[in-house]
């Protein structure tokens, strides 16, 4: 009898439980790692082996590459799944996993580096015919007069962005020509402090864009497909709160054309695994922002509309199997919405860790709750505040909105503050109901 493959899950929380469930369906053995603060995580009751990898600090546990690799060797792992966040887009970690003779569940380190640098990623997308914003051809030069001329040619307003990282760091909006020098200097400094690199580039700033994503999957055999589009425009401080699929009000033909371009780009750069192309959308035009070379937090809305288990497919592809479907097989149906429930004050967004005294998740037809929490679980203060993802599916967008409203009302989490009250307001807001939410709507107070 062939020994089952063993997957080390280098993550925590709901995504660790999600991966554990997918492995169980595939007959794969699982290894769960955890910090000293996470001994009570739900997925640890389901894995075949568990091992503590260090103190509560993420830097000494989930971000410590050597500790994770040591655990993989100790437990005879064959593969490593990074989930999202932490080391999921760290090319050096992917390389270290491969050098250790293990399979990294994700793209190669080379491709990860290529797409992790926003300048090189944009250059690849231009070459592949993927629509991009007008901007600088590469990093802005150190010589300020040359930088000034480039920015003047792009036009204002524009945005200066760090080539590395994300989360809004190393970004500055430039309204007029006289603001260029100060904005570039500040963006360089912030980028250096946050990411260790000070390369920045400039591109046209869109005042009222939507955030649109294309989910892709590609294998080692040259096959690449897109699984549908998502709208992730409900954001605060560049962090998503509500996502839906498909995007409302965008012609299906336009989305299909974009999806085909993304699949072709994957073939061109040799991408293998699942990933997401992110775009800004304004006045009927798509503009590439970046590619996430990992599993996305919001992948469930695509699973609900496409009927495809994205995590299972991701693991199968890493094992060398071809995709189990072709583009013609993908028939997205209905509408799905996801609310990211965070342990935060819904007005100030300050984290609110603590003991959960009540846990009553929503249920019923078309309702899915991805969460690792339970009554008496203590939300630790050391990590991201995401504690649950509530996903619903309906025949139409209106059905999905109605179902999500009911599901939010039904969900009760006691002992801590959560973002549920804010999401309840969002689902009543005119801008959300008519599909005109932009990435700035929530920060500008348009949905409160």
């Amino acid at each position: 009898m062939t020994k089952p493959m063993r997957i080390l899950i280098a993550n925590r929380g709901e995504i660790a439980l999600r991966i554990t469930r997918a492995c169980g369906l595939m007959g794969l053995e699982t290894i769960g790692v955890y910090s000293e603060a996470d001994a009570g995580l739900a997925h640890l009751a389901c894995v075949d082996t568990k091992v503590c990898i260090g103190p509560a600090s993420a830097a000494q546990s989930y971000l410590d590459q050597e500790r994770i690799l040591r655990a993989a060797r100790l437990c005879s792992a064959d593969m490593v799944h990074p989930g999202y966040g932490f080391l999921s887009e760290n090319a050096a970690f992917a390389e270290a996993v491969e050098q250790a003779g293990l399979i990294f569940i994700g793209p190669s380190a080379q491709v990860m580096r290529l797409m992790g640098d926003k300048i090189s990623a944009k250059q690849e997308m231009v070459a592949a015919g993927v629509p991009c914003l007008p901007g600088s051809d590469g990093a802005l030069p150190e010589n300020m007069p040359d930088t000034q001329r480039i920015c003047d040619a792009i036009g204002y307003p524009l945005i200066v962005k760090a080539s590395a990282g994300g989360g809004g760091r190393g970004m500055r909006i430039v309204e007029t020509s006289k603001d260029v020098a100060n904005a570039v200097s500040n963006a360089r400094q912030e980028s250096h402090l946050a990411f260790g690199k000070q390369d920045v580039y400039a591109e046209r700033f869109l005042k009222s864009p939507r955030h649109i994503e294309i989910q892709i999957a590609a294998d080692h055999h040259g096959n690449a497909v897109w699984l549908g589009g998502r709208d992730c425009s409900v954001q605060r401080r560049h962090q998503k709160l509500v996502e839906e699929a498909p995007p409302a009000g965008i012609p299906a033909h336009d989305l299909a054309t974009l999806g085909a371009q993304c699949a072709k780009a994957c073939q061109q750069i040799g991408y293998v695994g699942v990933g997401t192309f992110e775009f800004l959308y304004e006045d009927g035009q798509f503009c590439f922002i970046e590619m996430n070379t990992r599993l996305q937090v919001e992948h469930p809305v695509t699973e609900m509309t496409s009927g495809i288990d994205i995590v299972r497919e991701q693991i199968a592809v890493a094992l060398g199997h071809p995709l189990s479907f072709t583009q013609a097989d993908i028939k997205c149906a209905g509408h799905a919405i996801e609310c990211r429930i965070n342990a935060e004050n819904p007005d100030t967004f300050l984290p609110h860790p603590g003991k959960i005294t009540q846990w009553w998740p929503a249920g019923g037809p078309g309702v899915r709750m991805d969460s690792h929490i339970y009554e008496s679980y203590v939300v630790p203060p050391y990590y991201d505040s995401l504690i649950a993802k509530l996903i619903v599916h309906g025949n139409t967008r209106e059905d999905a909105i109605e179902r999500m409203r009911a599901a939010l009302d039904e969900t009760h989490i006691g002992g801590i503050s959560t973002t549920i009250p804010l999401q309840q307001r969002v689902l009543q807001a005119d801008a959300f109901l008519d599909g005109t939410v932009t990435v700035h709507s929530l920060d500008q107070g348009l949905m409160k």
Side-chain angles (χ1 to χ4, degrees), residues 38-291:
D38 273 345
L41 283 177
H43 79 289
L44 298 177
C46 306
V47 296
D48 297 288
T49 306
K50 58 183 179 181
V51 56
C52 181
I53 54 171
S57 166
Q60 296 177 282
S61 53
Y62 300 108
L63 289 172
D64 191 317
Q65 299 182 34
E66 183 49 43
R67 287 176 185 263
I68 292 173
L69 289 172
R70 196 181 307 143
R73 290 190 292 267
L74 175 68
C75 300
S76 302
D78 301 296
M79 311 175 74
V80 175
H81 198 309
Y84 52 69
F86 293 132
L87 297 170
S88 62
E89 292 184 285
N90 188 308
F93 179 62
E95 199 165 54
V97 169
E98 293 166 359
Q99 289 174 349
L102 308 176
I103 297 172
F104 179 78
I105 302 177
S108 68
Q110 179 184 359
V111 170
M112 197 178 290
R113 287 193 178 97
L114 178 69
M115 300 310 291
D117 183 285
K118 293 179 183 178
I119 293 174
S120 62
K122 185 173 179 179
Q123 290 170 338
E124 287 292 333
M125 293 305 102
V126 170
V130 175
C132 297
L133 280 168
S136 58
D137 184 16
L140 291 172
E142 295 287 344
N143 182 288
M144 190 50 65
D146 289 343
T147 287
Q148 188 75 53
R149 282 192 291 271
I150 291 170
C151 291
D152 288 345
I154 294 170
Y156 302 94
L158 60 77
I159 185 167
V160 177
K161 293 182 178 180
S163 67
R169 290 172 293 182
M171 293 171 56
R172 291 293 186 278
I173 298 170
V174 184
E175 296 287 352
T176 65
S177 180
K178 64 181 178 61
D179 301 322
V180 169
N182 189 52
V184 170
S185 176
N186 289 339
R188 287 191 197 280
Q189 183 177 15
E190 187 174 20
S191 177
H192 179 71
L193 290 173
F195 314 120
K197 294 180 64 176
Q198 58 179 2
D199 287 347
V200 297
Y201 65 104
E203 60 188 16
R204 184 74 53 79
F205 178 71
L206 302 182
K207 291 189 174 182
S208 301
R210 292 166 63 185
H211 184 127
I212 304 299
E213 297 181 345
I214 297 292
Q215 174 73 58
I216 60 89
D219 62 26
H220 289 278
H221 306 275
N223 304 305
V225 301
W226 70 287
L227 306 180
R230 298 188 288 255
D231 189 325
C232 305
S233 301
V234 181
Q235 306 177 10
R236 50 93 175 141
R237 301 171 191 169
H238 305 285
Q239 301 299 313
K240 303 164 189 171
L241 276 177
V242 180
E243 301 102 354
E244 58 182 308
I250 297 179
H253 177 268
D254 293 353
L255 208 61
T257 298
L258 184 67
Q261 290 171 328
C262 293
K264 182 180 177 182
C266 286
Q267 294 171 320
Q268 181 168 308
I269 64 176
Y271 193 92
V272 174
V274 302
T276 298
F277 287 81
E278 300 198 353
F279 296 86
L280 294 179
Y281 179 79
E282 187 175 89
D283 297 329
Q285 300 295 315
F286 296 99
C287 299
F288 174 78
I289 316 171
E290 63 181 334
M291 183 182 189

Side-chain angles (χ1 to χ4, degrees), residues 3-6 21-30 48 312:
K3 178 184 175 183
M5 298 286 280
R6 291 173 63 81
R21 287 168 170 162
C23 291
L25 290 173
M26 301 175 74
L28 304 172
E29 293 187 358
T30 49
D48 297 288
R312 185 172 182 170

